[in-house]
Amino acid sequence: MRATANGIEICYEVFGEPGGRPVVLIMGLGAQMISWPEELIGLLVESGHRVVRFDNRDAGLSTHFTPADDLTPPASYTLDDMADDTAGLMDVLGWESAHVVGASMGGMIAQTLAIRHPARVRTLTSIMSTPGPRVGRATEEAMAALTAPAPQDREEALARAVETARVIGSPGYETDVERVTRVAAEAYDRAFDPAGTTRQFIAIRRSKDRTEGLRGLSVPALVIHGEDDPLITLEGGTATADAIPGAKLLTFPGMGHDLPRPLWPVIAEAITELTARG
């Protein structure tokens, strides 16, 4: 489905029955909403939630801001605007407030939403994220994978996705090559726009540190982080949890910068415990 919100068009998908506890899932840098595993969403639905996932601006089928072949675009927005996109989508859905879950850049957007629109956030779950770009800095290898030149065709894009997953993913779990390839293929066919990812990255860099804003929150919060994350190291998660009063920190040995399939039930259970309190 599509919605006009905050001056852009947002592509989104809703799971679960009306009346379920509303959950908004926000995905990370360059990733489309299809990166949220439907099996994980299913576990949340089974636990009584109504879940929405959506494409951020400059990703998937939501609004893109310049032609896809412009690889050196200026950033015309920050994470504040992306948080306002989320609030605007909630308006379209008729949700005055929701449980907000963000992964990586999505965690940054979720944090920003809670700071800018505290009444809209019932609970906050920040996964493999950070309160600021200088906290939890990437290893050299992970940063090299993130900033590698854009793939030139579909075949290279799929191979790059697997290669990147092996660099930044979870060393304690086997890389799910089948799923990584399938999602990468679907993402390429939906919308291949490296320039959009560049603009999102610039938006992250242009956004201010959120530590002080997080200290002012009074929302139940859960911070999930991999102990072996090379892209946003564990410091990013601990700093987020330390900043939010009363936040619970849940870390996993062997987890990197992804969501390993064996952890989906644990993650869904932790989110469900949080939303029950919200």
Side-chain angles (χ1 to χ4, degrees):
M1 294 181 282
R2 296 177 186 270
T4 299
N6 196 31
I8 67 170
E9 189 173 75
I10 297 175
C11 181
Y12 69 98
E13 188 173 15
V14 181
F15 302 81
E17 298 297 324
R21 296 197 293 275
V23 173
V24 178
L25 301 179
I26 312 175
M27 192 27 79
L29 176 68
Q32 302 180 27
M33 66 178 180
I34 57 175
S35 292
W36 285 108
E38 292 195 11
E39 296 92 333
L40 174 59
I41 294 172
L43 292 171
L44 292 173
V45 169
E46 291 173 7
S47 299
H49 299 96
R50 184 165 173 82
V51 180
V52 62
R53 65 179 182 180
F54 67 98
D55 290 324
N56 287 311
R57 58 170 65 197
D58 266 327
L61 302 182
S62 291
T63 295
H64 292 241
F65 281 78
T66 63
D69 59 354
D70 179 3
L71 298 182
T72 57
S76 58
Y77 58 85
T78 68
L79 296 178
D80 286 359
D81 299 292
M82 301 181 83
D84 291 347
D85 295 344
T86 309
L89 176 59
M90 290 168 60
D91 289 338
V92 172
L93 294 170
W95 293 358
E96 293 185 7
S97 62
H99 304 279
V100 181
V101 181
S104 194
M105 181 189 72
M108 303 173 198
I109 296 170
Q111 295 170 24
T112 305
L113 178 65
I115 293 168
R116 288 175 63 81
H117 305 284
R120 309 299 302 270
V121 178
R122 299 186 190 183
T123 65
L124 169 63
T125 300
S126 179
I127 304 174
M128 53 189 178
S129 194
T130 175
R134 297 182 181 277
V135 184
R137 291 190 178 193
T139 65
E140 290 185 9
E141 185 180 15
M143 183 55 68
L146 184 69
T147 58
Q152 297 303 303
D153 55 35
R154 190 178 190 270
E155 182 179 358
E156 185 181 350
L158 270 56
R160 178 75 59 78
V162 173
E163 178 185 348
T164 300
R166 286 177 168 148
V167 172
I168 69 173
S170 299
Y173 299 86
E174 183 177 355
T175 301
D176 191 342
V177 175
E178 185 279 328
R179 181 176 186 277
V180 171
T181 303
R182 174 171 46 82
V183 172
E186 185 177 352
Y188 187 95
D189 296 340
R190 290 179 87 234
F192 179 64
D193 183 10
T197 301
T198 300
R199 288 188 293 275
Q200 290 182 350
F201 185 73
I202 294 172
I204 292 172
R205 305 296 294 183
R206 291 182 65 223
S207 299
K208 63 183 180 181
D209 187 282
R210 292 170 295 281
T211 302
E212 288 304 315
L214 294 175
R215 287 175 178 156
L217 295 182
S218 57
V219 59
L222 170 66
V223 177
I224 298 174
H225 214 100
E227 296 178 13
D228 295 287
D229 189 334
L231 189 59
I232 299 178
T233 58
L234 182 57
E235 180 190 8
T238 56
T240 303
D242 288 345
I244 304 173
K248 177 182 178 180
L249 176 63
L250 180 61
T251 68
F252 296 103
M255 176 179 165
H257 202 78
D258 62 0
L259 297 170
R261 183 185 297 270
L263 295 180
W264 294 349
V266 183
I267 291 172
E269 182 180 4
I271 293 173
T272 299
E273 289 177 357
L274 183 71
T275 63
R277 292 170 41 211

